[in-house]
Amino acid sequence: MTPTTPTSPPPASALRWSLIALPDAAAFAPHAAAWDALQARVAGLPFLESAFLAPLLGVFGTGRERLALLGDPKAPRAAAIVTPAGTAQWATFQPSQLPLGAWLSPAGEALEPLADGLLRALPLPALALGLTQIDSLFHPRPADGTRWRGQDYIDTAWVDLTGDFETYWEARGKNLRTNLKKQQKKLDTAGTVTRLECLTRPEDVAPALTQYGRLEASGWKGSEGTAIAPGHPQYEFYRAMLEGFARAGRVRLYQYWFDDAVVAMDLCIESGGKIVILKTAYDEAHKAVSPSTLMRQLQFQQLFDAAAAGGPIRRIEFYGKVMEWHTRWTADARPVYHATLYRWGWVPALKRLLRGDDATPSGDAAPKTEEAPA
């Protein structure tokens, strides 16, 4: 019997994009399995799973979104969720709660040809397609071309859980280690009992979010009315999403206590070998002793110890703008960028002529709540 020779997949240019209207989150459900299979293959990020995106569409979708699938809808080569983003423009779905744009394609595969096919499949008049918040880990930023324009967004940091925590901790700056010792000594002298708790059950989510909202309300989000609270759209999204991940055993809600009060929290989800810190908040009343930094020391120690014992988590991802406090925990950072593809080369030239600058993709994500410096 003659062995068969494996055939190479067809080039992306030979495949067609199909568009599916998403008037509500329920319309995404029939395609969730195909989306998740592709996502696991090309990214492995929990916030790009349907378990994250479906609640996001349900709360923040406008009903004008389209699901785009390249090739076989049951086993797509690439996929995206796109939405109108101004006159004759579309962009990847990008509420501020989503760290990267809703785009899936094989890591390292050229983005421009894929985006070009999608742009031409979108309803006319579609003159530009914005790909928002692209992680250079998967898609290194290409050079600008006649129709393709990139734009710097942020650098994001991560920590690899290699080796033991003691070695990692000794490599941190002396100021961080010294300051935390001083803060802990202050608390010990005052008789304050500290502890770290990690909540993982679905029934933990609602009370934990109430606590988290209280911490957010102690800072600037409270004065602006944007803190998470029951009835707020963000609360509805985070509750639905986190409960879903908790049912799958992939949520970690870290609470750091001073005696009987929660003073700092991290909301985290995980997938495969990664844990993503989605949001951080702390009680402004205790800012002087850096509760979120004290929390992170214990949190990281637990994650390092679990990895050393053979646990699955191998990387901590921040997915937020690198701040000074991030650099105390890691020296590793990489770019996240936007890109815009124009239907014709004269479109960006005309925009520059009329406006005096380049058009940029819409959908910038808001920064996460930052912790107090150590």
Side-chain angles (χ1 to χ4, degrees), residues 198-265:
C198 182
L199 307 175
T200 61
R201 303 176 303 168
E203 57 266 34
D204 294 330
V205 171
L209 278 179
T210 299
Q211 289 276 23
Y212 187 90
R214 178 185 61 81
L215 297 178
E216 278 198 330
S218 73
W220 61 270
K221 287 194 173 185
S223 59
E224 290 190 357
T226 58
I228 288 177
H232 192 285
Q234 284 208 93
Y235 177 90
E236 302 308 320
F237 160 67
Y238 279 109
R239 178 171 179 174
M241 181 272 294
L242 291 171
E243 285 179 346
F245 273 88
R247 285 191 290 271
R250 296 193 293 131
V251 72
R252 301 191 190 197
L253 310 176
Y254 289 96
Q255 293 184 330
Y256 189 64
W257 296 73
F258 285 177
D259 296 327
D260 58 356
V262 175
V263 294
M265 286 186 66

Side-chain angles (χ1 to χ4, degrees), residues 136 139-144 148-153 335-338:
S136 61
H139 303 289
R141 180 174 169 178
D144 286 355
W148 177 270
R149 294 287 188 275
Q151 179 200 355
D152 293 337
Y153 177 53
V336 174
Y337 63 96
H338 300 309

Side-chain angles (χ1 to χ4, degrees), residues 14 29 45 48 52 114 120 140 143 170 193-194 204 228 258 273 325 331 334 337 343 364:
L45 293 169
L48 287 178
F52 193 101
L114 296 171
R120 295 182 186 281
E170 284 301 314
V193 177
T194 63
D204 294 330
I228 288 177
F258 285 177
W325 67 264
R334 63 182 184 271
Y337 63 96
R343 183 179 286 267
D364 291 6

Side-chain angles (χ1 to χ4, degrees), residues 182-196:
K182 289 180 180 178
Q183 310 297 20
Q184 188 62 55
K185 185 175 181 180
K186 287 180 187 177
L187 295 167
D188 292 343
T189 300
T192 302
V193 177
T194 63
R195 62 185 172 93
L196 179 66

Side-chain angles (χ1 to χ4, degrees), residues 310-332:
I313 303 299
R314 288 291 182 268
R315 174 174 285 194
I316 303 164
E317 290 278 11
F318 289 102
Y319 274 113
K321 180 181 179 181
V322 172
M323 310 291 284
E324 188 276 335
W325 67 264
H326 286 107
T327 63
R328 303 179 190 182
W329 298 98
T330 180
D332 293 324

Side-chain angles (χ1 to χ4, degrees), residues 39-40 43-49 100 135 138 271 274 276 317 319:
Q39 194 284 137
L45 293 169
F47 54 76
L48 287 178
E49 296 180 25
L100 299 177
D135 189 344
F138 304 104
S271 176
K274 306 181 188 75
V276 178
E317 290 278 11
Y319 274 113

